[in-house]
Amino acid sequence: MTDQPKQLGGGRRMLGDFSPKLAGLTDDVLFEDVWNRTELAARDRSLITVAVLIAGGDADQLAFHLGRAKENGVTEAELVEAITHLAFYAGWPKAMTAVMVAKQVFSD
């Protein structure tokens, strides 16, 4: 799976002046290392990440990762279907929150 786009973090850009260690871990460990491992495609990592963020109710991070998922080849229809599927496993309120976040992200 070497022909996938290299995943880059934006931790230093977003919060490097406020929390340099967390920013560095985000960029150097999470994105540079974990997201670029070849054992899973970035598309699969995106679907897993979106599912976990929905299940956890992490709407702020979800907005970013829905965009990242699209960049990694997941379609809007697939993401909406994943949200619908998760309504029965993660909870209806979390799915409703997620679909509203998706609607906003996809309209931007």
Side-chain angles (χ1 to χ4, degrees):
M1 296 184 206
T2 57
D3 55 341
Q4 66 183 13
K6 182 173 173 79
Q7 304 298 301
L8 302 172
R12 286 187 179 90
R13 184 182 69 252
M14 290 179 7
L15 55 107
D17 58 337
F18 184 74
S19 181
K21 184 61 177 180
L22 184 57
L25 290 168
T26 298
D27 290 349
D28 302 337
V29 178
L30 178 57
F31 283 99
E32 181 65 29
D33 182 14
V34 175
W35 269 89
N36 287 298
R37 293 173 53 82
T38 58
E39 290 79 5
L40 281 177
R43 183 184 194 286
D44 297 335
R45 289 186 192 278
S46 282
L47 278 171
I48 292 165
T49 301
V50 165
V52 170
L53 292 173
I54 291 168
D58 301 305
D60 290 339
Q61 292 293 308
L62 179 60
F64 170 81
H65 279 284
L66 287 168
R68 169 73 46 117
K70 286 180 59 177
E71 292 169 6
N72 287 330
V74 184
T75 67
E76 289 181 8
E78 289 171 319
L79 290 165
V80 170
E81 184 62 24
I83 294 167
T84 302
H85 184 76
L86 285 165
F88 295 93
Y89 291 93
W92 207 268
K94 289 178 181 174
M96 292 301 287
T97 297
V99 83
M100 295 307 294
V101 171
K103 182 178 179 183
Q104 180 63 45
V105 168
F106 299 163
S107 69
D108 288 344

